[in-house]
């Protein structure tokens, strides 16, 4: 257990010799370099924890051979590449964690198909199983909507076949069902311009909801708007859920959805169901198409609201705010209708009158009502002025609402601009941080080289000191020997001097002896001569 121990340096390759080790905890240190390739030889290893270090390089393939591995934490490093397929499956969402989330310090994050948790460069994490759950629930929702629509369609066809040739009374009012203040009511008109307005709103809403759905998808390899809800701190092996969304947030979401979307979905189904009473005619097609559009766009609004809240809401306030924004998009058909009422009221009145004359329950009553209305306009000018005043007040109210909507749009645009600026600033800071980290790595490499040079110099210095000591000992020995030789030479010189003195004395004595010998020889000669004589 060496976690948070202030360790530095590299993980030695000799660690592959520890074949009996079961847990290797090196988290929250200052380890650099790469993970040794011999890690796969640790057959008994069950936990490898090296999170929050400065480890670089790729993941050794030996991790795939560790059949007993149950805990793998390698997040908070600078690893890249692909984590091999692990032999065992994680039993907990904190079992296998790596930096496989976005945004990443590299162009593409770490690829880890076996990980249970992915973290990004901002220390935010999320479970990988959410991607599967998200896709599964999306598929279930879409399949249910398609199945329900096909069921309604098939029921309508069967009803048409069964009632063929019968006189079915027309009792419902399709214009009222689809909404008299909605642009979708233009699908009941024969005016091409009205259809263009309706299709434009339908396309705009579909694209808007499509954008939200696309950004809400969980793709760990791409930078989406999905907000990670977990954090994996260095001081804990288990990740914690930081989401603050409670049951109250979902209750408010359900209430908003019920109040805003239920009537449109039910009215859409009513229109599809009532299309059979017109048979295979133009009116039947218009009602069926309008009902399908109303039901589909409402279902799409509900689906987009759900998935976007799941993806980005991490508090109750976020959920309510996102729901209001998306439901505002769902009200575009009514807002456009109000705008047309303010811009081209005569065209709008003619179009709605045509729709009312074609689809209201009793056409004759509608015609009489129109004639009576014209007569009342001619006979009661004062009442018309009052109505105009009321319309003006309503127009002012509509303008006030539009101004509020414009202000809300501007507020949302400002928020998005601020968010974009913040994202840009974050990317700039991350790029600068990446550059600083690269410089730090270069400085660390240079420091390691300098440390190695210093170690070499110190090692050479020690060798020189040892050699110098040996030389000094030799010099001292040589000086001792030299001193002894000097003493011996001095002693020899003294002896030589003594010998010289003795030699000189002997030479002096020898000279004296020679002199005495000469004198003795002379004496002997004299004696011999005297004897001869």
């Amino acid at each position: 257990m060496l976690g948070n121990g202030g360790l530095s340096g590299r993980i030695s390759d000799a660690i592959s010799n520890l074949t009996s080790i079961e847990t290797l905890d090196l988290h929250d240190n200052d380890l650099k370099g790469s993970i040794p390739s011999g890690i796969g030889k640790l057959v008994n290893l069950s936990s490898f924890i090296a999170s929050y270090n400065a480890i670089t390089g790729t993941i050794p393939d030996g991790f795939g051979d560790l059949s007993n591995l149950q805990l793998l934490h390698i997040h908070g490093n600078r690893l890249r590449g692909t984590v091999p397929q692990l032999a065992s499956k994680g039993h907990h969402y904190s079992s296998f964690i790596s930096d496989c989330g976005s945004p990443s310090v590299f162009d593409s994050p770490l690829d880890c198909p076996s990980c249970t948790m992915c973290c990004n460069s901002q220390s935010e994490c999320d479970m990988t199983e959410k991607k599967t759950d998200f896709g599964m629930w999306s598929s279930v929702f879409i399949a249910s909507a398609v199945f329900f629509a096909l069921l309604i369609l098939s029921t309508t066809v069967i009803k048409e076949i069964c009632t063929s040739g019968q006189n079915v009374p027309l009792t419902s009012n399709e214009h009222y069902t689809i909404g008299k203040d909605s642009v979708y009511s233009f699908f009941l008109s024969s005016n091409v311009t009205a259809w263009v307005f309706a299709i434009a709103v339908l396309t705009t809403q579909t694209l808007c909801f499509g954008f939200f759905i696309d950004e809400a998808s969980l793709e760990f390899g791409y930078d989406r708007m999905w907000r990670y809800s977990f954090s994996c701190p260095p001081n804990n092996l288990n990740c914690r859920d930081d989401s603050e969304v409670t049951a109250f947030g979902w209750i408010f979401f359900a209430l908003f959805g019920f109040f805003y979307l239920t009537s449109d979905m039910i009215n859409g189904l009513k229109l599809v169901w009532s299309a059979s009473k017109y048979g295979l005619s133009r009116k039947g097609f218009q009602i069926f198409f309008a009902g399908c559009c109303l039901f589909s766009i409402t279902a799409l609004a509900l689906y987009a609201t759900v998935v976007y809240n799941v993806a980005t809401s991490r508090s109750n306030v976020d959920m309510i705010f996102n729901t209001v924004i998306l439901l505002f998009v769902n009200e575009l058909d009514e807002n456009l209708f109000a705008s047309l009422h303010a811009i081209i009221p005569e065209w709008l009145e003619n179009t709605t009158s045509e729709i009312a004359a074609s689809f209201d329950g009793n056409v004759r009553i509608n015609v009489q009502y129109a004639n009576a209305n014209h007569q009342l306009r001619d006979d009661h000018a004062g009442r018309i002025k009052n109505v105009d005043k009321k319309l003006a007040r309503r127009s002012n109210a509509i303008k006030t609402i539009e101004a509020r909507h414009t202000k809300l749009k501007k507020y949302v645009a400002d928020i998005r601009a601020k968010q974009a600026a913040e994202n840009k600033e974050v990317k700039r800071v991350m790029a600068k941080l990446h550059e600083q980290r690269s410089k730090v790595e270069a400085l660390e490499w240079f420091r390691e080289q300098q440390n190695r040079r210093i170690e070499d110099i110190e090692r050479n210095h020690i060798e020189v000191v040892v050699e110098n000591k040996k030389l000094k000992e030799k010099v001292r020995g040589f000086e001792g020997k030299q001193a002894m030789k000097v003493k011996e030479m001095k002693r020899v010189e003294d002896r030589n001097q003594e010998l010289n003195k003795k030699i000189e004395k002997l030479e002096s004595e020898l000279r004296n002896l020679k002199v005495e010998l000469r004198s003795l020889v002379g004496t002997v000669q004299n004696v011999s001569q005297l004897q001869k004589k």
Side-chain angles (χ1 to χ4, degrees), residues 319-434:
M319 178 165 289
I320 295 174
F321 180 78
N322 293 335
T323 303
V324 170
I325 295 298
L326 286 164
L327 292 179
F328 172 77
V329 176
N330 194 56
E331 299 294 327
L332 285 179
D333 56 319
E334 298 178 0
N335 294 331
L336 179 59
F337 189 90
S339 300
L340 293 176
H341 185 274
I343 298 173
I344 44 177
E346 294 181 359
W347 177 87
L348 184 63
E349 183 179 357
N350 294 333
T351 303
T352 53
S353 299
E354 179 222 338
I355 296 171
S358 300
F359 289 94
D360 280 354
N362 195 326
V363 177
R364 185 177 59 83
I365 294 176
N366 290 327
V367 174
Q368 291 177 357
Y369 175 77
N371 294 330
N373 189 24
H374 287 296
Q375 184 178 357
L376 288 173
R377 286 183 181 179
D378 295 335
D379 295 340
H380 305 284
R383 293 182 180 179
I384 293 175
K385 290 180 180 180
N386 293 331
V387 171
D388 290 338
K389 292 180 180 179
K390 291 180 179 179
L391 290 176
R393 286 196 298 269
R394 292 182 180 179
S395 178
N396 293 330
I398 290 173
K399 290 180 180 179
T400 302
I401 294 173
E402 289 178 351
R404 291 178 180 176
H405 287 170
T406 303
K407 186 176 180 181
L408 180 60
K409 288 180 181 179
K410 185 177 179 181
Y411 177 70
V412 173
D414 292 339
I415 292 177
R416 289 180 177 174
K418 290 180 180 178
Q419 187 176 6
E422 290 177 356
N423 293 335
K424 186 176 181 181
E425 181 66 18
V426 168
K427 290 182 178 179
R428 187 186 68 79
V429 171
M430 291 303 299
K432 188 174 181 180
L433 179 61
H434 177 65

Side-chain angles (χ1 to χ4, degrees), residues 191-393:
N191 191 315
V192 177
T193 306
W195 273 72
V196 170
F197 281 123
I199 292 175
V201 170
L202 178 65
T203 304
T204 302
Q205 289 179 317
T206 303
L207 289 175
C208 288
F209 292 135
F211 292 150
F212 280 104
I213 293 171
D214 180 64
E215 287 296 325
S217 59
L218 178 57
E219 296 289 342
F220 288 108
Y222 301 93
D223 191 6
R224 301 285 188 177
M225 293 190 67
W226 184 287
R227 292 176 59 187
Y228 294 0
S229 60
F230 282 80
S231 62
C232 301
N235 58 352
N236 198 337
L237 295 180
N238 292 324
C239 301
R240 64 172 181 264
D241 189 358
D242 295 334
S243 177
E244 298 178 357
V245 178
T246 62
F248 290 103
W250 286 106
I251 290 173
F252 279 108
F253 164 75
L255 290 176
F256 277 115
F258 179 80
F259 293 151
Y260 279 88
L261 302 178
T262 303
S263 60
D264 287 343
M265 295 187 73
I266 294 176
N267 289 334
L269 295 176
K270 284 183 178 180
L271 286 172
V272 174
W273 181 261
S274 63
S276 60
K277 70 182 181 181
Y278 290 95
L280 300 175
S281 62
R282 181 179 61 84
K283 291 183 177 180
F285 169 75
Q286 287 179 291
I287 295 174
F288 180 81
F289 183 76
C292 289
C293 290
L294 183 60
F295 175 79
S296 300
I297 199 65
T298 308
L300 185 62
L302 178 61
Y303 174 71
T305 307
V306 172
V307 299
Y308 193 75
N309 274 318
V310 171
T312 62
S313 296
R314 296 297 174 259
S315 66
N316 294 335
V317 176
D318 290 343
M319 178 165 289
I320 295 174
F321 180 78
N322 293 335
T323 303
V324 170
I325 295 298
L326 286 164
L327 292 179
F328 172 77
V329 176
N330 194 56
E331 299 294 327
L332 285 179
D333 56 319
E334 298 178 0
N335 294 331
L336 179 59
F337 189 90
S339 300
L340 293 176
H341 185 274
I343 298 173
I344 44 177
E346 294 181 359
W347 177 87
L348 184 63
E349 183 179 357
N350 294 333
T351 303
T352 53
S353 299
E354 179 222 338
I355 296 171
S358 300
F359 289 94
D360 280 354
N362 195 326
V363 177
R364 185 177 59 83
I365 294 176
N366 290 327
V367 174
Q368 291 177 357
Y369 175 77
N371 294 330
N373 189 24
H374 287 296
Q375 184 178 357
L376 288 173
R377 286 183 181 179
D378 295 335
D379 295 340
H380 305 284
R383 293 182 180 179
I384 293 175
K385 290 180 180 180
N386 293 331
V387 171
D388 290 338
K389 292 180 180 179
K390 291 180 179 179
L391 290 176
R393 286 196 298 269

Side-chain angles (χ1 to χ4, degrees), residues 454-465:
I454 291 171
E455 290 176 357
D456 294 338
I457 292 171
E458 290 179 349
R459 188 165 50 251
N460 294 333
H461 178 69
I462 293 171
E463 293 177 355
V464 169
V465 169

